[in-house]
Amino acid sequence: MDEMRKEVLYSRAEIQKKVKEIASRISHDYAGRELIIIGILKGAFIFMADLIRELSIPCMIDFVRAASYGAGQETSGKVVMTKDIETSIKGKDILIVEDIVDTGLTLAYLVGWLKERNPRSLKVCAFLDKRKRRKVDFEADYVGFTMDDGFVVGYGLDFNEQSRYLPEVYLVKK
Ligand code: 5GP
């Protein structure tokens, strides 16, 4: 699979700069508050690891895993949570960290699912945003790069579980 045709979309340096920018905004917005960051497995793990190490405020972390069943690279709309958080979020400030927002279905579902537990606040940080592909009205609070259509791999993102380890983000060529 790693022989697939692909080109660098965002370099290590561009990613590092962007992560620092987002971390600085989050650190400013949550100063003096008790922040719990919830990463969506598996794709967000590298972005989340980089992001929390650039924060200048303390945070706690947890993870969820969302599966959406559909054909090929498309989300079906039916989202199933296959791993829950292990912390109580009632009355806490929550920031969900996701790799990429595409149709918006996964995050729209997850936000509703977590809000039922009555956090004090709940915001979303997405590393990439394919804004034009939305099927539901969903807006992330912090976005790294807004990109056009196209399938990307690397920096945690996979194609059939391959390529997550690549430090850059690549656009897969058809
Ligand atoms: P949504 O529910 O917003 O349509 O889908 C979000 C999920 O679809 C992401 O968490 C990611 O797993 C997957 N996804 C969407 N676009 C891409 C892409 O370009 N590359 C990869 N590797 N995954 C994607």
Side-chain angles (χ1 to χ4, degrees), residues 75 98-106 130 150-152 157-158:
T75 310
E98 172 64 311
D99 51 4
I100 183 163
V101 198
D102 186 16
T103 62
L105 287 161
T106 306
K130 290 188 197 169
F151 195 78
V152 286
L157 288 146
D158 75 312

Side-chain angles (χ1 to χ4, degrees), residues 16-166:
Q16 205 175 30
K17 185 164 171 271
K18 188 62 81 176
V19 170
K20 281 188 179 173
E21 280 169 22
I22 306 172
S24 144
R25 284 180 55 208
I26 294 170
S27 302
H28 172 265
D29 293 352
Y30 288 91
R33 304 199 2 217
E34 205 185 329
L35 179 62
I36 301 181
I37 296 188
I38 299 178
I40 309 183
L41 294 171
K42 298 177 189 173
F45 85 110
I46 290 180
F47 172 49
M48 180 164 161
D50 282 352
L51 184 71
I52 63 173
R53 287 177 294 173
E54 293 295 341
L55 295 177
S56 58
I57 54 163
C59 67
M60 287 186 283
I61 62 154
D62 209 330
F63 294 95
V64 289
R65 179 122 203 241
S68 60
Y69 299 102
Q73 301 169 0
E74 277 278 327
T75 310
S76 64
K78 184 164 167 41
V79 182
V80 178
M81 303 312 299
T82 58
K83 188 216 169 298
D84 200 350
I85 45 170
E86 291 158 22
T87 344
S88 166
I89 59 168
K90 191 164 184 236
K92 303 279 172 59
D93 290 309
I94 305 302
L95 181 66
I96 300 173
V97 171
E98 172 64 311
D99 51 4
I100 183 163
V101 198
D102 186 16
T103 62
L105 287 161
T106 306
L107 277 165
Y109 179 85
L110 181 61
V111 164
W113 195 67
L114 290 176
K115 273 192 173 164
E116 283 176 15
R117 300 177 199 188
N118 301 312
R120 176 174 178 232
S121 70
L122 198 157
K123 285 190 179 180
V124 174
C125 171
F127 178 60
L128 300 172
D129 190 352
K130 290 188 197 169
R131 196 157 284 164
K132 291 188 189 137
R133 290 203 13 111
R134 286 298 192 285
K135 287 186 180 158
V136 288
D137 188 20
F138 178 84
E139 200 74 42
D141 302 279
Y142 304 93
V143 171
F145 299 99
T146 301
M147 56 173 284
D148 293 330
D149 199 3
F151 195 78
V152 286
V153 296
Y155 200 61
L157 288 146
D158 75 312
F159 180 68
N160 287 342
E161 291 305 323
Q162 304 292 317
S163 309
R164 290 194 198 274
Y165 62 90
L166 296 168

